[in-house]
């Protein structure tokens, strides 16, 4: 991120951050669709391998197109460094695994995306990392009691997908820092347009760029951004991976060589991307950048549409309940206003009267809203978890999982709100 990137407003950063063409260069970011890069001498290349000089040698580690887009997201979040990954799952895995290894422990909120929960609770446990899940609205005492000497980070989600719980940044940041560990937050649903977690004590932010950032149902991707504020060396005994020499990388000590602002992302690149290789293709990053250019305008429309749709649903007699943090009666209304004064996201959940059967009937009659296991893009889309993603569960199990048999997850796109509401009204008339 350049100094100029930091001065621009968010809307301007969406267009200009991360890439400034020189005289006669392409206006759009160039797609450097090349696996490798050519050097005149072995010495030149050797310096890159030793991380002695900046530059590119193999796209699995770094690629110029990917770096331009990562720099734009870093500027939007107000961070110092960022890395793109091939999916949001890869971003969350790297973000945690960059700090926690076998024998370590992590605290995570229960209000997180199901895929992340499974990654932590099943797959990363198999790797020997222990997790304690805490309720998002637990007391400070309960949260503090979850820490152990081997705890390496705390993880939460700004707006939980699909529960729409709003994260209590103050409480989680205070507890994490009191125990000398960073707070990692998945900011996918809010995007840096509606929330900048670094302003509320978060140290590392992750994204599934598949959602609003790409915004057009086109590319799967992820991103990790470092605030550059967490002082690894001040807690060197907890983070040997950053604060002692990496024998797999010529004995480099990341926190010394790349400092507080660059150590975390450099380690993720040099170790995790080198070994796991979940890099996005430059072509996909180009498409992600196209999406980012309109992110600020789209987020505003997503939120306006969702507010109208949520209020419309609330006033409809066939609707049993509506969950949207922008509704005054919502449990998280005040907290959403505190951290996201300009709006939250375009996703709403609601239940229709008549339970599972009525919900299934409603789904059959929607015309504009597309049935998809996806949320958060330009097209309005809808999902009835009980008859799709969660169909193996009984009504009782569904309710216990917080996904009642009547629950419909509705993601408002950027169409005209009247058309979205007409579609819903027409489908509701059949139940
Ligand atoms: C979708 C999603 C993910 C996973 O991202 P993929 O790009 O699908 O791998 C992680 N976190 C949140 C909040 C999500 O919505």
């Amino acid at each position: 991120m350049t100094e100029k990137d930091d001065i621009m407003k968010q809307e301007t950063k969406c267009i200009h951050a991360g890439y400034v063409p020189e005289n006669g260069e392409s206006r759009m970011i160039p797609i450097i669709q090349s696996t490798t890069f050519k050097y005149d001498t072995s010495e030149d290349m050797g310096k890159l391998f030793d991380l002695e000089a900046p530059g590119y040698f193999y796209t699995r580690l770094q690629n110029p197109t990917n770096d331009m887009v990562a720099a734009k997201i870093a500027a939007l979040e107000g961070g110092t460094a960022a890395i793109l990954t091939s999916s949001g799952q890869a971003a969350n895995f790297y973000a945690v695994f960059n700090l926690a290894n076998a024998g370590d422990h992590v605290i995570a909120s229960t209000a997180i995306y199901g895929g992340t929960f499974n990654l932590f609770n099943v797959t990363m446990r198999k790797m020997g990392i222990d997790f304690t899940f805490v309720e998002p609205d637990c007391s400070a005492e309960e949260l503090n009691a979850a820490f152990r000497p081997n705890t390496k980070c705390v993880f939460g989600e700004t707006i939980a997908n699909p529960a729409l719980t709003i994260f209590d940044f103050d409480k989680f940041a205070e507890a994490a820092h009191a125990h000398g560990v960073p707070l990692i937050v998945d900011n996918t649903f809010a995007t840096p347009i509606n929330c900048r977690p670094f302003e509320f004590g978060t140290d590392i932010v992750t994204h599934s760029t598949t959602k609003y950032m790409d915004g057009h149902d086109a590319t799967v991707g992820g991103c990790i951004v470092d605030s550059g504020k967490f002082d690894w060396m001040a807690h060197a005994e907890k983070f040997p991976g950053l604060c002692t020499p990496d024998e797999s990388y010529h004995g480099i000590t990341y926190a010394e060589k790349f400092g507080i602002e660059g150590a975390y992302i450099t380690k993720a690149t040099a170790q995790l991307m080198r070994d796991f290789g979940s890099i996005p293709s430059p072509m996909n990053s180009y498409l992600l950048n196209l999406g980012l250019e309109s992110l600020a305008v789209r987020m505003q429309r997503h939120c306006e549409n969702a507010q109208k749709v949520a209020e419309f649903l609330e006033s409809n007699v066939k609707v049993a309940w509506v969950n949207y943090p922008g509704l005054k009666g919502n449990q998280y209304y005040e907290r959403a206003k505190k951290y996201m004064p300009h709006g939250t996201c375009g996703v709403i959940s609601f239940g229709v009267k008549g339970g599972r059967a009525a919900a299934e009937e409603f789904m059959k009659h929607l015309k504009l809203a597309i049935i998809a296991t996806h949320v958060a893009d330009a097209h309005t889309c809808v999902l009835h978890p009980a008859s799709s993603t969660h169909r193996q569960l009984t009504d009782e199990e569904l309710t216990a999982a917080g996904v009642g048999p009547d629950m419909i997850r509705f993601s408002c796109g950027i169409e005209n709100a009247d058309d979205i509401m007409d579609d819903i009204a027409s489908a509701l008339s059949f139940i």
Side-chain angles (χ1 to χ4, degrees):
M1 191 178 64
T2 66
E3 229 167 84
K4 193 162 152 260
D5 285 351
D6 208 27
I7 298 165
M8 292 185 282
K9 304 271 189 302
Q10 293 295 78
E11 294 81 354
T12 314
K13 286 181 198 170
C14 283
I15 311 287
H16 292 287
Y19 173 58
V20 182
E22 300 286 327
N23 193 32
E25 283 184 350
S26 66
R27 183 63 208 90
M28 282 302 283
I29 61 167
I31 306 170
I32 312 289
Q33 190 73 36
S34 179
T35 55
T36 33
F37 299 82
K38 176 248 175 193
Y39 288 93
D40 288 341
T41 67
S42 307
E43 287 75 35
D44 286 347
M45 190 177 275
K47 285 192 190 123
L48 304 183
F49 269 97
D50 288 350
L51 301 179
E52 287 295 338
Y56 298 93
F57 55 96
Y58 192 56
T59 284
R60 166 150 48 76
L61 278 111
Q62 270 185 295
N63 170 282
T65 309
N66 294 348
D67 281 359
M68 289 169 201
V69 182
K72 178 176 281 187
I73 298 175
L76 284 166
E77 287 288 5
T80 56
I83 183 175
L84 295 188
T85 58
S86 55
S87 68
Q89 286 297 110
N92 283 330
F93 171 59
Y94 282 23
V96 173
F97 198 65
N98 206 27
L99 300 173
N101 299 144
D104 289 338
H105 172 252
V106 172
I107 297 170
S109 163
T110 52
I112 56 174
Y113 172 68
T116 314
F117 182 77
N118 202 64
L119 166 70
F120 291 172
N121 194 43
V122 179
T123 301
M124 290 182 77
R125 276 192 201 279
K126 285 184 193 160
M127 302 171 87
I129 301 168
D130 202 3
F131 285 81
T132 298
F133 292 94
V134 294
E135 290 300 321
D137 295 316
C138 66
S139 68
E141 293 70 43
E142 285 167 318
L143 179 54
N144 283 317
F147 284 84
R148 302 180 193 164
N150 60 343
T151 302
K152 295 301 158 83
C153 58
V154 176
F155 187 97
E157 214 166 284
T158 307
I159 308 172
N161 171 11
L164 303 177
T165 310
I166 305 292
F167 192 62
D168 189 343
F169 285 98
D170 288 349
K171 179 181 71 187
F172 278 88
E174 200 181 304
H177 297 157
H179 291 87
V181 301
L183 173 63
I184 305 178
V185 172
D186 181 333
N187 197 32
T188 298
F189 265 28
T191 82
I193 301 304
N194 285 339
C195 183
R196 299 219 304 172
F198 295 155
E199 291 169 6
F200 308 116
T202 302
D203 302 287
I204 291 146
V205 156
T206 63
H207 283 281
S208 164
T209 61
T210 316
K211 313 292 163 55
Y212 290 118
M213 284 192 168
D214 168 79
H216 297 81
D217 224 340
T219 55
V220 173
C223 185
I224 311 170
V225 190
D226 184 7
S227 66
K229 287 186 193 148
F230 194 85
D231 190 351
W232 308 107
M233 277 301 191
H235 307 281
E237 75 296 341
K238 274 193 194 293
F239 304 105
L242 283 151
C243 302
T244 57
D246 178 1
E247 294 314 331
S248 80
Y249 232 108
H250 324 291
I252 280 176
T253 299
Y254 295 99
E256 269 172 11
K257 193 163 170 63
F258 300 99
I260 193 167
E261 299 190 340
Y264 176 84
I265 294 294
T266 307
K267 176 176 180 287
T269 305
Q271 285 181 347
L272 303 186
M273 205 48 99
R274 177 195 64 190
D275 295 351
F276 293 110
S278 344
I279 199 88
S281 82
M283 184 65 215
N284 274 8
S285 299
Y286 175 86
L287 291 170
L288 169 58
N289 182 62
L290 268 189
L292 288 169
E293 291 201 347
S294 61
L295 182 66
V297 213
R298 286 188 291 106
M299 285 315 288
Q300 196 181 345
R301 174 67 81 88
H302 279 295
C303 292
E304 281 167 16
N305 281 359
Q307 188 68 31
K308 285 182 191 164
V309 170
E311 286 171 13
F312 163 78
L313 287 167
E314 206 174 34
S315 67
N316 193 294
V317 289
K318 295 193 175 167
V319 173
W321 55 270
V322 186
N323 180 17
Y324 184 64
L327 290 176
K328 285 220 170 67
N330 187 277
Q331 181 186 357
Y332 294 107
Y333 179 79
E334 291 301 333
R335 198 182 288 165
K337 280 274 171 287
K338 175 177 171 187
Y339 295 118
M340 286 162 261
H342 304 299
T344 51
C345 66
V347 181
I348 297 169
S349 58
F350 66 96
V352 286
K353 289 182 187 157
R356 184 193 286 255
E360 283 177 8
E361 192 61 28
F362 169 78
M363 296 288 290
K364 276 188 207 155
H365 300 284
L366 288 167
K367 292 204 168 69
L368 181 73
I370 302 155
I371 298 179
T373 46
H374 188 52
V375 284
D377 76 70
H379 316 82
T380 290
C381 51
V382 62
L383 189 75
H384 177 222
S387 59
S388 56
T389 49
H390 292 62
R391 63 179 297 122
Q392 68 283 7
L393 303 189
T394 64
D395 283 7
E396 291 69 39
E397 286 170 333
L398 284 169
T399 306
V403 187
D406 64 343
M407 178 183 148
I408 290 163
R409 190 181 68 181
F410 198 90
S411 174
C412 297
I414 56 173
E415 302 93 339
N416 187 298
D418 291 341
D419 289 335
I420 304 174
M421 291 186 285
D422 282 351
D423 193 34
I424 297 174
S426 140
L428 282 174
S429 72
F430 287 89
I431 63 172

